[in-house]
Amino acid sequence: MQIWPMQAEADSFYGNPRGVHGAPSSAWESDNLVSFTPPFQMHYANQPIQHFKIHTKCHDSLVRVFDAIWQAAGQRQILIDRWGVSIFGGSYNFRLMRNSNRLSMHSYGCAIDLAPDRFSMGAALPRFAPEVLDAFHAEGWINLPHDRMHFQAARLK
Ligand SMILES: [Zn+2]
């Protein structure tokens, strides 16, 4: 299994995405981000999307994650929809962590949010279907316990 870096090691593993004046580095973006095409239909803000940006080091792993979910669903879109995996909530997005001056893992393109309406912050919220969690965990991706819509290719400990 892929061993992802600790969050604190994200700069050395994924590169430094910081540009000038609090903006992202466009050079880092063009060197490190690639387009990911999901094997099933996804939506963002009720609009269909065909692809989204992800760090090049995460791309092939995310292909395996999404393929595993697609196979576990028997390639049935209706099951993907029921599991909430078709609702894209964001991947690369240059921003700080909540209540912190550190960069969010979204700033490195190594995180993805799914079905934010269903699985956002809070401990009492539902969990993803085991098929979904298993697919991410098999590739070493972490589902944050306090932010269940969020999967990342970086370790907390
Ligand atoms: Zn997130």
Side-chain angles (χ1 to χ4, degrees), residues 95 106 113 150:
R95 65 170 189 246
H106 287 282
D113 295 333
H150 178 102

Side-chain angles (χ1 to χ4, degrees), residues 77-98:
Q77 181 72 36
I78 192 165
L79 214 44
I80 295 293
D81 295 342
R82 195 176 302 157
W83 288 344
V85 183
S86 55
I87 307 166
F88 181 68
S91 54
Y92 171 65
N93 183 4
F94 189 79
R95 65 170 189 246
L96 297 176
M97 286 183 181
R98 282 184 183 80

Side-chain angles (χ1 to χ4, degrees), residues 5 14 72:
Y14 289 120

Side-chain angles (χ1 to χ4, degrees), residues 95 104 106 111-113 147 149-151:
R95 65 170 189 246
S104 161
H106 287 282
I112 178 173
D113 295 333
D147 186 10
M149 66 176 168
H150 178 102
F151 295 89

